[in-house]
Amino acid sequence: MDSLIKIHNSPQIPEIEAQLKKRLRHPYVWGRTQNNHYDTLTNFVYHTFYWDDLLHKIEHDFGNRSDFDAFMNYAMNRWFNFWSAYGVEQVFQQQPGIRAAANDRDRLVDFELHGIHFDHKTTVFPKAFPHSLEQARQNPRLLMEWLYQNQSRQGRFHLRNRLFVVLHAQDGQHWQLKARLSWLQTLVAQYVTQFETQQLYDFYFDQDHRLTLSDIIWAIA
């Protein structure tokens, strides 16, 4: 996960979903690209679970900033993406047959499925992808390769095994699906129950010809 800091008394999936859904009342606007300066200032999102506490901290600590609106959007979005990713990780780890990573600070491995180490990435269907959703579903390799090649070059960049959860909403509000953890739990459970290693797609991205395994769980609403 993205800089996951050890969380004590970890919240359960229904609690996380309830908090995430409070974010849906506000527009999803980044305002600026991700950058190290804003990331450093908003690292408190990793320690702030409750939505109301988040809003209070933003207003109390940063209310006098000239760029307050942009900063608030940035902090809300980082909070939402972090806790959604944390929730989806719990969804995976609660499935029979999945073992959590031995090292919870390992950015390359979230869990083990049938003896294979995986990181997971929940992402909306990318606007910049040069093919339609239908084409991507018919040939998932195209989308997986694109996602690896166009991922952020920040600390999360890697070319190792990854399971993608790809979100697509008919109304175009793909980001809101990140809050629907119970629904995603059903989709992940179905995938894990039916999982067979031969369904994975293999890639060789680096010069050492290291084998990378990947697949997509489609979350379409």
Side-chain angles (χ1 to χ4, degrees):
M1 285 189 55
D2 182 7
S3 303
L4 176 58
I5 296 173
K6 185 67 174 179
I7 299 171
H8 300 284
N9 300 320
S10 301
Q12 300 301 303
I13 291 171
E15 298 176 90
I16 303 170
E17 181 168 7
Q19 294 304 312
L20 290 174
K21 286 185 174 180
K22 294 182 180 182
R23 170 69 182 89
L24 306 186
R25 306 167 187 166
H26 302 260
Y28 192 78
V29 179
W30 272 103
R32 65 185 61 221
T33 58
Q34 188 171 358
N35 63 79
N36 291 332
H37 176 62
Y38 265 45
D39 281 357
T40 299
L41 291 174
T42 57
N43 278 342
F44 58 84
V45 301
Y46 301 133
H47 307 285
T48 309
F49 172 62
Y50 293 103
W51 174 251
D52 291 342
D53 290 346
L54 177 80
L55 295 184
H56 175 77
K57 182 171 182 60
I58 294 172
E59 180 69 37
H60 181 270
D61 293 359
F62 303 96
N64 292 327
R65 293 179 63 98
S66 60
D67 59 348
F68 175 75
D69 288 343
F71 180 84
M72 183 172 185
N73 285 327
Y74 197 96
M76 290 194 303
N77 294 342
R78 285 198 80 203
W79 177 92
F80 183 75
N81 289 336
F82 170 76
W83 285 103
S84 175
Y86 178 81
V88 175
E89 184 171 315
Q90 302 312 302
V91 165
F92 274 103
Q93 292 182 1
Q94 291 180 15
Q95 302 304 315
I98 284 188
R99 295 175 57 187
N103 179 3
D104 60 14
R105 293 182 180 272
D106 187 345
R107 70 180 186 87
L108 301 180
V109 179
D110 288 333
F111 51 80
E112 181 180 313
L113 173 59
H114 287 215
I116 304 172
H117 291 163
F118 286 103
D119 172 42
H120 93 272
K121 172 68 174 178
T122 300
T123 184
V124 302
F125 186 77
K127 292 182 179 179
F129 183 63
H131 303 282
S132 67
L133 175 65
E134 291 73 19
Q135 289 171 315
R137 297 192 71 183
Q138 292 172 5
N139 190 353
R141 176 180 291 275
L142 288 175
L143 179 56
M144 282 179 273
E145 187 170 13
W146 189 94
L147 289 170
Y148 271 108
Q149 293 176 346
N150 291 274
Q151 64 184 299
S152 170
R153 298 288 164 164
Q154 306 293 325
R156 282 287 284 166
F157 178 88
H158 72 75
L159 299 172
R160 306 293 284 275
N161 299 345
R162 179 172 270 170
L163 286 180
F164 293 99
V165 180
V166 176
L167 311 173
H168 186 279
Q170 297 301 320
D171 63 1
Q173 298 299 310
H174 313 312
W175 69 277
Q176 295 189 358
L177 301 182
K178 292 183 179 183
R180 294 175 56 180
L181 295 182
S182 299
W183 173 64
L184 292 173
Q185 189 172 30
T186 300
L187 298 177
V188 170
Q190 181 179 11
Y191 177 87
V192 172
T193 300
Q194 300 175 352
F195 177 80
E196 296 182 355
T197 56
Q198 57 265 35
Q199 76 189 60
L200 296 172
Y201 291 79
D202 57 314
F203 299 91
Y204 296 90
F205 291 114
D206 59 30
Q207 296 178 346
D208 297 329
H209 300 287
R210 186 201 309 269
L211 173 64
T212 297
L213 299 173
S214 187
D215 201 5
I216 292 176
I217 300 174
W218 296 99
I220 300 174

